[in-house]
Each structure stands twice: as C-alpha cells, then as structure tokens.
Amino acid sequence: MKLSKKSITVLSFSVGACLFVSTAFADALLGSGYDRLKDSVKNTASVMEKGLNNYTVETMYTLKDNDQMLLQSSMLQKMDTANQVKENNEVTKNAKGETTSRYTYADKKQTIDKNESDNTYYVFENSTDMNQNRKGPADFSNPFKEKGATEVEKIVDAVVGSLKDNVQVEEGTDGGKVFSGSLSEAQVPALVNAVSSFGIKQMLDSERDLPQIESDIFVKKVVGTANENKAGYLENLTGEVTLSGKDKNGVQHDLNLNVMLKLSEIGSTKITKPDLTTAKVEKVSRNGGFSTKYVGTYQNDIIMDKDGKFVKIGERTVKITSVDGDNVSGTYSETVNPGFESEYPNKDAFNFEYNMATSPMFTYTDSKGEQKRGMIHPNMTGKIYVDMNLEVSDKNAYKQSNSMKPFYDGEFSRVFE
C-alpha cells in the first residue's frame, strides 16, 4: 500500500498540530512554549531555505491500524544548497511485508533515478536553457512563505486557543531548548476533535487501502518532543498521534502514526555522484515521454447531464503537429453541436508550442482573451491527457484552477483514419 502525498500531509499535519495544541506542563519563567516552538519551526524553515550550505535530513514514519503495521517509510536526504546537489534514499514497507526502495541523485546538469524493480538507472539531462525562475534541485521551499500560509497559521492559533500556555519547554544542556508534552483522550478539546475528524474523514474517503472510518472519530493520544539547538533551530522532532473511530460495521479502529525527523551533519554533508560506468543505464528525454509517434489527431466528446441522461453536445480536438526533441507543437479546438450554444458559449481555439526542457507548460489565450496555462501528458497507448487552466502556486508547483471549463474531460483518444 502506498499513501498519496495528500494523505501523508493530512496525517503529518495532525501530528504537528497536535504537538502544538496538546502538550502540557507550562514553565511560566520561559513564557509561552507554543509561541517559542512555533518560532523555532519558522526559524528552522528559514535557515534551511537560506543559511545552511549543506545538511542531512532523516525522516521516518510508521502507520498502524489496531497495532497492525500498514505502512513504514524511511528517507535519508542529503542537500548541498551551495552547489545545488541533492541525494535521496527511500525505503518503504507495506502491510504485506513487501519492501521497495528508490534512489535519486540530482545536480544542475543531471537527474539520476534508480528503481530497484528493474535495477536500471534512468538519466535525465537538464537543459542549460532551463527556466531561471525554476528552483534548483537542492533549494528548500519554505512552507511559511507559501500562498495562504498566514491564514492557515491564524486558523491553527484559533484552534489552539488557551492551550498555547500549556506547552512544556525547558533549557537544554547544550544551551538550546527542549519541548515536550503528552495528551490523553480526556484532555483533547472538542474543537480539536472536530477539526481532526473532518480532516481524517476527507483523507480516508480517498484511500482504498485504509480502514474506512466513518463515525465517532476522535484524538485518543498525542505525544511529542522537539529539540532546539543553541542556534535556534530544531534538530530533532518526534511525534505520535492515535486517532480512533468506527467503520461502517461498527468495528473500532485505532490509527497510530509515529513520525521522526532529524536534521544533522550541518556543514559536513558529502554527496558523491553515482558511478554508472558498469551500470545498466537508460537516458530519458525531458519531453515527458513524447516522441514522433504521438504526432496525430486526438479527440474527446463534450458530454453534459441533461434531463437525467448523458448527451453529447460537441467535441474537443487536439492535433499534435510536431515533436522535435523537447519541442512540442500543435493546435486545440472545440466544436459545439447546433442547439447547445447556450450551454457551452465559450469555445476555445488556439495554437501551442513549448519546450519541455525549459518548462512542461504551454501558454494559450482562451476565448475571452485571457492568458492561461496548460500541460499535455502521454497517458497510455493511443491516448493523451490535457490539463487546462493551470495555476502556478510555486516555482515548481501547479494546480488546477477552481474556474474550470464546464463538462471538461482531459482524456483524449487518438483518431485513426
């Protein structure tokens, strides 16, 4: 079983939020432990973004259901921000005891990815013309500078409420600070349980491999510790949270997530590029898998639900006219059947051309004269997938806009004449 990034984010947020929300035993002489811990987290993110030339991050998490292991993952990540080099080693074990591993190396010129399933090193050559706005391979994205971060922080502060003053913080032996705390089921405020219940239900609804907990969801136990060094940033963080609830058959489930994070080897991290002299190597283009075989016409139907029936009201057509190395070009158009113009008034038609080594996206002008961004992915044999109206949320991140076209379907099938 492999959890989506969304699921791990929800579960990890639960640990972090509960660490802030739940810890007890205040030390009035040192002030609010919550605020001090939050400041330490922010400072750590800041120095990882700018301030540490190189460092190593170890992370490990284990997810259990009623003491039965569902997933265990560990990652060793080495970052050299001065030379823009990084190396990742990740090992994952599922509920069946099956273990998978993955290795990745990246610098300014190459990305090397090894998957143990075929013992092959896949080598991606990074273009020297790569968009300068894109982040380097070892750049750290500060979550506190993301869009909406300030608003999320205010929400967490509001949920924490008076518990801010209940964080235990002590002076460490090396001049730093030690944050710790625990919380039992009876100590969790109703508001925290409500927020956790909503988040977990949203996550579980999208994961087939997790128990489908539907009712009586609450935070059963929280334990957390964090060590801040004398420089003011965190070096160790551990958290454990147990969430309880019942599935549709009334069976009780205790989901336990244990997370460990360690920041080490600051200033002494060494990264060695793998020697591929005798290895099995396959060079991969940065064009997302496109080749000349994808030149052709692709279509899908514009379908709406009308009077309890599915009705075809038009067609979308993508023509890929050229694939030359990393350069992809073509056209996009929409037609609407007579009588349905009012249902689909804004028909798009545009040309696109882009270089995958520079950016995976193309820019187009829609029927309203507004500039938008799109992306094309080879989907499977004889098909492509087209994302439209994308929003760039970060230099390397994008998401689908909330204002999508009506009745949109991004999967296109090849037209054979």
Side-chain angles (χ1 to χ4, degrees):
M1 182 194 74
K2 185 174 182 180
L3 294 179
S4 65
K5 290 184 178 179
K6 172 184 174 184
S7 301
I8 295 303
T9 299
V10 171
L11 288 169
S12 298
F13 171 80
S14 298
V15 173
C18 288
L19 179 63
F20 288 151
V21 171
S22 324
T23 50
F25 314 115
D27 184 340
L29 295 177
L30 292 177
S32 169
Y34 171 82
D35 290 329
R36 285 178 174 269
L37 178 56
K38 189 169 69 170
D39 288 343
S40 183
V41 172
K42 286 184 175 181
N43 188 47
T44 304
S46 180
V47 297
M48 290 177 71
E49 182 184 29
K50 291 181 179 180
L52 302 181
N53 288 334
N54 56 74
Y55 57 90
T56 298
V57 178
E58 298 175 65
T59 58
M60 181 175 181
Y61 64 83
T62 303
L63 179 63
K64 296 181 179 180
D65 174 30
N66 293 340
D67 292 326
Q68 181 177 359
M69 198 269 288
L70 295 178
L71 184 69
Q72 185 178 71
S73 179
S74 62
M75 179 186 293
L76 180 67
Q77 183 177 65
K78 295 183 178 182
M79 304 286 279
D80 184 342
T81 57
N83 297 302
Q84 283 302 306
V85 182
K86 74 173 181 180
E87 183 181 56
N88 289 347
N89 274 290
E90 184 176 7
V91 179
T92 303
K93 184 177 182 181
N94 64 20
K96 298 179 181 178
E98 300 168 337
T99 301
T100 58
S101 63
R102 183 176 180 178
Y103 170 83
T104 304
Y105 166 92
D107 58 29
K108 293 179 180 179
K109 295 182 179 180
Q110 285 186 331
T111 297
I112 301 172
D113 193 357
K114 181 186 179 185
N115 194 315
E116 70 164 355
S117 61
D118 57 5
N119 201 33
T120 300
Y121 288 89
Y122 295 91
V123 179
F124 300 82
E125 298 292 339
N126 297 328
S127 172
T128 55
D129 298 325
M130 186 172 289
N131 190 338
Q132 295 302 309
N133 289 325
R134 296 184 67 185
K135 289 193 172 185
D139 281 338
F140 176 78
S141 295
N142 189 337
F144 293 98
K145 293 184 179 180
E146 295 288 341
K147 184 178 179 180
T150 302
E151 288 73 16
V152 171
E153 183 179 343
K154 290 178 180 178
I155 293 172
V156 173
D157 287 343
V159 172
V160 171
S162 61
L163 290 178
K164 289 182 182 181
D165 298 327
N166 292 332
V167 176
Q168 179 183 3
V169 53
E170 300 175 350
E171 294 287 357
T173 56
D174 61 350
K177 292 181 176 62
V178 179
F179 303 88
S180 64
S182 62
L183 191 69
S184 65
E185 172 185 338
Q187 294 172 294
V188 180
L191 181 57
V192 176
N193 264 325
V195 173
S196 299
S197 176
F198 175 77
I200 295 303
K201 287 180 72 174
Q202 293 293 312
M203 183 271 289
L204 293 178
D205 286 344
S206 63
E207 293 294 338
R208 296 180 303 171
D209 297 321
L210 288 181
Q212 297 301 300
I213 299 178
E214 298 182 352
S215 61
D216 299 334
I217 302 175
F218 62 92
V219 179
K220 190 172 183 178
K221 183 182 77 169
V222 177
V223 178
T225 62
N227 294 84
E228 176 190 276
N229 63 17
K230 61 182 179 180
Y233 53 85
L234 297 177
E235 290 187 334
N236 292 279
L237 175 67
T238 62
E240 180 182 358
V241 58
T242 300
L243 302 161
S244 186
K246 296 179 180 179
D247 62 23
K248 63 180 180 180
N249 298 317
V251 177
Q252 189 77 30
H253 293 269
D254 285 345
L255 281 178
N256 176 271
L257 178 69
N258 195 300
V259 178
M260 181 278 292
L261 184 147
K262 181 180 180 182
L263 178 63
S264 63
E265 297 185 26
I266 299 169
S268 60
T269 293
K270 304 294 183 183
I271 302 176
T272 303
K273 186 175 181 178
D275 184 359
L276 305 183
T277 305
T278 60
K280 182 181 178 182
V281 177
E282 182 175 331
K283 291 189 176 182
V284 183
S285 172
R286 279 291 187 188
N287 62 14
F290 270 115
S291 63
T292 54
K293 69 181 179 182
Y294 282 94
V295 172
T297 300
Y298 301 79
Q299 287 184 337
N300 73 20
D301 295 333
I302 303 175
I303 298 175
M304 67 173 294
D305 188 341
K306 186 177 180 64
D307 300 327
K309 296 180 180 179
F310 291 116
V311 180
K312 176 181 176 180
I313 65 171
E315 289 182 341
R316 303 179 187 89
T317 301
V318 173
K319 292 183 179 180
I320 298 179
T321 56
S322 174
V323 178
D324 183 9
D326 291 323
N327 296 303
V328 181
S329 59
T331 64
Y332 176 95
S333 61
E334 297 172 338
T335 58
V336 177
N337 297 338
F340 293 98
E341 292 84 358
S342 62
E343 305 285 355
Y344 204 92
N346 301 311
K347 301 187 297 294
D348 287 333
F350 55 82
N351 299 330
F352 60 85
E353 183 175 358
Y354 63 107
N355 184 296
M356 286 294 298
T358 304
S359 172
M361 297 185 188
F362 59 84
T363 301
Y364 67 96
T365 303
D366 67 11
S367 59
K368 297 180 181 179
E370 298 177 353
Q371 276 210 336
K372 305 287 186 180
R373 292 183 177 181
M375 185 181 295
I376 302 178
H377 316 266
N379 194 9
M380 54 189 299
T381 304
K383 293 186 178 182
I384 60 173
Y385 197 91
V386 182
D387 288 321
M388 302 282 284
N389 201 13
L390 297 175
E391 294 181 351
V392 178
S393 56
D394 185 76
K395 291 179 181 178
N396 281 338
Y398 62 90
K399 64 179 180 179
Q400 200 83 54
S401 169
N402 292 328
S403 57
M404 273 298 298
K405 292 177 67 67
F407 323 122
Y408 187 73
D409 179 6
E411 187 175 76
F412 288 72
S413 296
R414 180 73 171 265
V415 177
F416 295 94
E417 299 178 357

